[in-house]
Amino acid sequence: MNYLGVGISPGNVPVYHGTNPMVIERRVRIAELLLRCLICVLSVLTAFLVGTDSQVKEIFSIQKKARFTDMKALVFLVVANGVAAAYSLVQVVRCVVSMVKGSVLVNKPLAWTIFSGDQ
Protein backbone atom coordinates (compact mmCIF):
# COMPACT_ATOMS: atom_id res chain seq x y z
CA MET A 1 0.00 0.00 0.00
CA ASN A 2 1.74 3.16 -1.17
CA TYR A 3 0.17 6.56 -1.77
CA LEU A 4 1.72 10.04 -1.74
CA GLY A 5 5.12 8.68 -0.69
CA VAL A 6 3.76 7.14 2.49
CA GLY A 7 4.30 3.40 2.87
CA ILE A 8 3.40 0.85 5.49
CA SER A 9 6.19 -0.93 7.34
CA PRO A 10 5.88 -4.57 8.41
CA GLY A 11 5.01 -3.33 11.91
CA ASN A 12 2.09 -1.29 10.51
CA VAL A 13 3.89 2.00 11.23
CA PRO A 14 3.53 4.73 8.56
CA VAL A 15 6.87 5.41 6.84
CA TYR A 16 7.59 8.45 4.67
CA HIS A 17 9.99 7.81 1.77
CA GLY A 18 9.94 11.22 0.10
CA THR A 19 12.87 12.92 1.93
CA ASN A 20 16.18 13.44 0.18
CA PRO A 21 19.09 12.11 2.34
CA MET A 22 21.38 14.93 1.18
CA VAL A 23 18.97 17.56 2.51
CA ILE A 24 18.80 15.81 5.88
CA GLU A 25 22.61 15.52 6.04
CA ARG A 26 23.01 19.23 5.27
CA ARG A 27 20.50 20.16 7.98
CA VAL A 28 22.30 17.96 10.50
CA ARG A 29 25.65 19.57 9.65
CA ILE A 30 24.21 23.08 10.00
CA ALA A 31 22.56 22.15 13.31
CA GLU A 32 25.85 20.70 14.60
CA LEU A 33 27.73 23.83 13.57
CA LEU A 34 25.21 26.12 15.26
CA LEU A 35 25.21 24.09 18.49
CA ARG A 36 29.01 24.00 18.63
CA CYS A 37 29.17 27.77 18.07
CA LEU A 38 26.62 28.26 20.85
CA ILE A 39 28.65 26.05 23.22
CA CYS A 40 31.82 28.03 22.42
CA VAL A 41 30.16 31.40 23.02
CA LEU A 42 28.48 30.30 26.26
CA SER A 43 31.71 28.76 27.62
CA VAL A 44 33.68 31.93 26.93
CA LEU A 45 30.91 34.05 28.46
CA THR A 46 30.79 31.90 31.60
CA ALA A 47 34.57 31.97 32.05
CA PHE A 48 34.57 35.75 31.55
CA LEU A 49 31.72 36.39 33.99
CA VAL A 50 33.16 34.17 36.72
CA GLY A 51 36.67 35.51 36.15
CA THR A 52 35.74 39.17 36.38
CA ASP A 53 33.21 38.92 39.21
CA SER A 54 34.11 40.18 42.68
CA GLN A 55 32.28 40.77 45.93
CA VAL A 56 33.01 43.23 48.72
CA LYS A 57 32.08 42.34 52.30
CA GLU A 58 32.28 44.90 55.08
CA ILE A 59 32.82 43.71 58.65
CA PHE A 60 33.23 46.40 61.33
CA SER A 61 34.30 49.02 58.78
CA ILE A 62 36.94 46.66 57.30
CA GLN A 63 36.35 45.90 53.64
CA LYS A 64 37.43 42.57 52.18
CA LYS A 65 37.25 42.06 48.42
CA ALA A 66 36.68 38.48 47.29
CA ARG A 67 37.63 37.32 43.81
CA PHE A 68 37.37 33.98 42.03
CA THR A 69 41.01 33.22 42.82
CA ASP A 70 40.15 32.97 46.51
CA MET A 71 38.29 29.68 45.91
CA LYS A 72 39.97 26.80 44.11
CA ALA A 73 36.61 25.54 42.84
CA LEU A 74 36.01 28.78 40.95
CA VAL A 75 39.52 28.69 39.50
CA PHE A 76 38.79 25.15 38.30
CA LEU A 77 35.47 26.35 36.84
CA VAL A 78 37.17 29.11 34.85
CA VAL A 79 39.85 26.72 33.55
CA ALA A 80 37.28 24.03 32.67
CA ASN A 81 35.17 26.56 30.77
CA GLY A 82 38.25 27.76 28.92
CA VAL A 83 39.12 24.20 27.90
CA ALA A 84 35.52 23.56 26.81
CA ALA A 85 35.57 26.75 24.72
CA ALA A 86 38.85 25.76 23.07
CA TYR A 87 37.57 22.25 22.29
CA SER A 88 34.36 23.69 20.84
CA LEU A 89 36.33 26.12 18.69
CA VAL A 90 38.41 23.22 17.31
CA GLN A 91 35.20 21.32 16.55
CA VAL A 92 33.67 24.40 14.87
CA VAL A 93 36.70 24.57 12.57
CA ARG A 94 36.34 20.84 11.85
CA CYS A 95 32.64 21.29 11.03
CA VAL A 96 33.34 24.20 8.69
CA VAL A 97 36.11 22.27 6.90
CA SER A 98 33.79 19.27 6.60
CA MET A 99 31.03 21.44 5.13
CA VAL A 100 33.39 23.11 2.65
CA LYS A 101 34.98 19.83 1.53
CA GLY A 102 31.65 18.04 1.46
CA SER A 103 33.18 14.88 2.83
CA VAL A 104 31.75 12.75 5.60
CA LEU A 105 33.86 11.58 8.53
CA VAL A 106 34.84 7.99 7.73
CA ASN A 107 37.78 7.53 10.08
CA LYS A 108 36.54 5.37 12.97
CA PRO A 109 39.24 6.30 15.54
CA LEU A 110 38.65 10.00 14.87
CA ALA A 111 34.90 9.52 15.23
CA TRP A 112 35.42 7.79 18.60
CA THR A 113 37.79 10.56 19.71
CA ILE A 114 35.21 13.22 18.87
CA PHE A 115 32.48 11.24 20.62
CA SER A 116 34.65 10.81 23.74
CA GLY A 117 35.59 14.48 23.75
CA ASP A 118 31.94 15.49 23.50
CA GLN A 119 31.10 13.33 26.47
Side-chain angles (χ1 to χ4, degrees), residues 58-101:
E58 187 173 331
I59 302 173
F60 299 117
S61 73
I62 299 173
Q63 290 186 348
K64 171 65 178 154
K65 186 173 183 180
R67 300 191 64 218
F68 81 100
T69 54
D70 295 336
M71 292 182 64
K72 296 209 185 276
L74 291 179
V75 172
F76 178 77
L77 180 67
V78 170
V79 170
N81 279 314
V83 169
Y87 174 76
S88 295
L89 187 62
V90 168
Q91 291 302 321
V92 164
V93 170
R94 182 197 56 82
C95 287
V96 169
V97 168
S98 174
M99 288 177 75
V100 169
K101 279 179 131 179

Side-chain angles (χ1 to χ4, degrees), residues 36-58:
R36 292 201 184 272
C37 288
L38 181 68
I39 290 169
C40 186
V41 168
L42 291 177
S43 294
V44 168
L45 182 65
T46 303
F48 176 76
L49 288 175
V50 172
T52 58
D53 192 24
S54 65
Q55 183 176 3
V56 177
K57 181 94 173 186
E58 187 173 331

Side-chain angles (χ1 to χ4, degrees), residues 22 25 29 94 97-99 101-107:
M22 296 300 285
E25 182 179 339
R29 285 184 180 190
R94 182 197 56 82
V97 168
S98 174
M99 288 177 75
K101 279 179 131 179
S103 64
V104 178
L105 182 67
V106 292
N107 189 356

